[in-house]
Amino acid sequence: MKVDIVAKEIIKPSSPTPDNLRSFKLSLFDQLAPAVYGPMIFFYPNGDTTHHAFLADQQSHHLKKSLADTLTRFFPLAGRIKDNFTIDCNDYGVGCVEARVNCLLSEILEHLDLEALNQFLPFELDSTESSTDSLILVQSTFFNCDGVAIGVGLSHKLTDGATYGTFLKGWSATALGVGDTVVPLFNASSLFPPRNLSTMTSMALNFSKEKCVLRRLVFAAPKIDALKAITASPGVQNPTRAEAVTALIWKCALNAARSNSRILRPSLLSQSVNLRSQIVPPLPENTIGNLGAHISARKDESEIELQGLVREIRRGKQDFSKKYVKKLQDDAFKAITETFKEAVSMFKSRDIEFYKLTNMSNFPFYEIDFGWGKPTWVTISGATLKNLVKLMDSREGDGSIEALVILSEKDMTLFECDKELLAYASLNPSLLKLNPMRPMTPLLTSSL
């Protein structure tokens, strides 16, 4: 498969940003976030193969116009980072790429090559381009007759998972003609003002550059129900879907790491959490910016068992709610500084097996409709950090979960053959066998 770039342009907001909004202040959480792009790819089938070229031109025009209209409301994302305090909102615009690929979307979905999916993204993984250039990059890749892939990258400097979801919902609503139903709120810096972080510059995190591999796992809803039943205990009587799946992945990954190293190191699982619902009073989900923190679950050197891991995951959530959130609201800078120092210490320690979890299983990404129906598949593929796990809902919408797991080559060799794991998960199943492609609706064609 070869993806050919056919056009590049800058999409600016369809109306100018008022002068009084030209300087946007970052929050304390934004200051600490890296200027890397968060990747997502949406795959949409096309029911009209007879007039494919004409339809592709329509889709491209519609995407760019609706993006320009969306940027008028999400104006900081059309700006440029000035420094670690400010975004210059002078309507510089966002990068938009159009591409063609001489194969069928159905071929991609039938035989998924996770590494090849990066060609549908308009940036290199782990790129820091957003520190000086576009905060959003978009690539529309049109397949030979049967669909389109929309690859999106939003700079982590201003977006966490919730902001990513809000922007996509806003763009989708605009494309459907109801853009005023999604209104972003830009008040995070008033709640968590930026600070001078010069004392923290010496604490930069150095992630492992070890060769890693990526695998996709699908946990069907009935399997998750069975997994929840065996992970339940008096301490956690009703594990969540994510807790049960996370515990199993953590156990199998840690078993693989211990088998290869022959050392019983303790392990730490760090999971990102949305602060909007934790703060008192809660913040609306459409509050823009980085408003996340990390909860930790720890496993000592003893034998690993699923119920114990679930208890540790739940205990980490409870400790976070009781301790960190109160500290955060009393003195945000002190709380964040202390937590950051602890994280750096753990990262630098070679005596801990560290795992990072991103859970996006409750985000409605399969509702993102640009005018021709819902996607047939959505993936958050990308990133190459060792011991990273990403969860999101599968397209069936029945409670199934799709997991992307990144481990070292040696650990993955053992992990993907673990019998306990494979009793509950399918390894990279074909998307067409699970659910045939649904053709696009004619809404876009009739509206242009």
Side-chain angles (χ1 to χ4, degrees):
M1 180 186 72
K2 184 176 184 298
V3 175
D4 294 314
I5 305 299
V6 298
K8 291 183 178 181
E9 61 181 298
I10 298 295
I11 304 299
K12 296 178 178 291
S14 57
S15 59
T17 299
D19 290 341
N20 65 311
L21 299 177
R22 291 289 174 124
S23 182
F24 179 82
K25 188 182 294 184
L26 295 171
S27 74
L28 176 58
F29 287 100
D30 296 328
Q31 287 183 291
L32 292 168
V36 296
Y37 293 110
M40 290 203 74
I41 312 172
F42 297 77
F43 293 89
Y44 295 88
N46 176 13
D48 183 358
T49 59
T50 306
H51 304 94
H52 173 67
F54 174 69
L55 184 60
D57 288 342
Q58 285 187 312
Q59 291 168 350
S60 178
H61 172 74
H62 187 67
L63 280 169
K64 289 184 285 190
K65 183 180 184 305
S66 59
L67 177 58
D69 292 341
T70 304
L71 290 173
T72 62
R73 296 192 307 281
F74 291 82
F75 59 92
L77 290 172
R80 296 291 184 273
I81 296 173
K82 182 178 180 180
D83 50 40
N84 207 30
F85 288 88
T86 311
I87 291 179
D88 184 7
C89 305
N90 279 314
D91 299 336
Y92 297 100
V94 304
C96 193
V97 175
E98 189 169 327
R100 298 287 188 275
V101 57
N102 190 27
C103 72
L104 298 175
L105 171 57
S106 54
E107 295 173 358
I108 299 294
L109 301 182
E110 175 70 21
H111 306 288
L112 279 177
D113 181 345
L114 298 176
E115 301 296 336
L117 295 180
N118 296 334
Q119 297 182 66
F120 301 121
L121 294 170
F123 53 89
E124 295 294 327
L125 295 180
D126 303 326
S127 166
T128 58
E129 181 183 350
S130 70
S131 61
T132 57
D133 210 331
S134 297
L135 296 178
I136 303 177
L137 292 175
V138 178
Q139 179 174 317
S140 305
T141 304
F142 294 92
F143 291 87
N144 186 16
C145 299
D146 71 338
V148 58
I150 310 298
V152 184
L154 266 66
S155 176
H156 196 14
K157 196 64 179 173
L158 189 58
T159 60
D160 60 4
T163 294
Y164 211 131
T166 297
F167 172 76
L168 289 170
K169 285 192 291 185
W171 186 7
S172 171
T174 301
L176 295 174
V178 290
D180 56 356
T181 60
V182 181
V183 180
L185 299 177
F186 297 105
N187 61 341
S189 62
S190 64
L191 301 172
F192 302 102
R195 297 284 295 266
N196 183 348
L197 302 180
S198 59
T199 58
M200 300 175 71
T201 56
S202 62
M203 297 190 294
L205 300 178
N206 296 313
F207 292 98
S208 171
K209 300 299 183 182
E210 187 176 349
K211 175 68 175 177
C212 297
V213 292
L214 170 67
R215 293 292 184 266
R216 168 178 167 263
L217 301 168
V218 176
F219 295 81
K223 294 289 188 178
I224 294 178
D225 289 339
L227 187 57
K228 288 173 62 177
I230 69 166
T231 57
S233 67
V236 182
Q237 297 181 9
N238 187 23
T240 66
R241 294 182 303 143
E243 286 172 341
V245 168
T246 299
L248 179 61
I249 293 175
W250 187 15
K251 175 183 179 179
C252 297
L254 188 53
N255 277 337
R258 289 181 173 183
S259 294
N260 282 322
S261 67
R262 297 183 180 181
I263 299 174
L264 295 180
R265 283 195 295 260
S267 178
L268 189 74
L269 174 73
S270 174
Q271 177 181 339
S272 54
V273 61
N274 186 352
L275 283 173
R276 292 165 181 81
S277 60
Q278 300 278 338
I279 294 173
V280 179
L283 297 176
E285 278 299 294
N286 56 335
T287 304
I288 300 302
N290 287 285
L291 287 166
H294 295 275
I295 61 176
S296 298
R298 189 180 180 105
K299 179 71 184 77
D300 59 24
E301 299 90 336
S302 62
E303 184 179 351
I304 310 169
E305 51 94 17
L306 286 174
Q307 290 184 349
L309 294 181
V310 168
R311 286 194 297 270
E312 290 302 320
I313 293 170
R314 181 67 64 87
R315 184 179 294 117
K317 293 179 182 178
Q318 294 170 340
D319 288 346
F320 175 84
S321 298
K322 291 178 182 178
K323 301 175 183 177
Y324 180 77
V325 174
K326 186 179 185 306
K327 288 182 180 179
L328 185 67
Q329 295 192 253
D330 290 341
D331 188 337
F333 183 68
K334 181 180 179 181
I336 292 172
T337 302
E338 290 177 354
T339 302
F340 194 75
K341 288 179 179 178
E342 291 174 4
V344 170
S345 176
M346 288 184 292
F347 267 111
K348 290 183 176 180
S349 173
R350 295 189 177 184
D351 296 325
I352 296 178
E353 197 71 35
F354 184 84
Y355 295 89
K356 173 72 172 67
L357 173 72
T358 299
N359 180 15
M360 302 180 76
S361 60
N362 291 317
F363 287 85
F365 291 118
Y366 280 93
E367 299 298 314
I368 302 302
D369 181 351
F370 293 108
W372 49 78
K374 298 176 182 180
T376 195
W377 187 48
V378 181
T379 182
I380 48 178
S381 183
T384 56
L385 297 179
K386 179 184 174 183
N387 293 351
L388 176 64
V389 179
K390 298 180 180 182
L391 303 182
M392 70 179 297
D393 288 326
S394 73
R395 63 178 185 165
E396 281 66 39
D398 60 356
S400 301
I401 287 179
E402 184 167 301
L404 295 175
V405 181
I406 304 173
L407 301 175
S408 68
E409 287 183 308
K410 289 174 62 178
D411 288 356
M412 185 61 79
T413 299
L414 298 179
F415 174 83
E416 64 184 350
C417 296
D418 191 297
K419 292 182 179 179
E420 186 175 15
L421 177 72
L422 297 179
Y424 296 96
S426 298
L427 184 61
N428 201 30
S430 164
L431 285 155
L432 292 188
K433 291 179 181 178
L434 288 174
N435 189 5
M437 287 199 303
R438 300 181 297 272
M440 293 179 179
T441 65
L443 175 60
L444 175 61
T445 305
S446 63
S447 64
L448 291 178

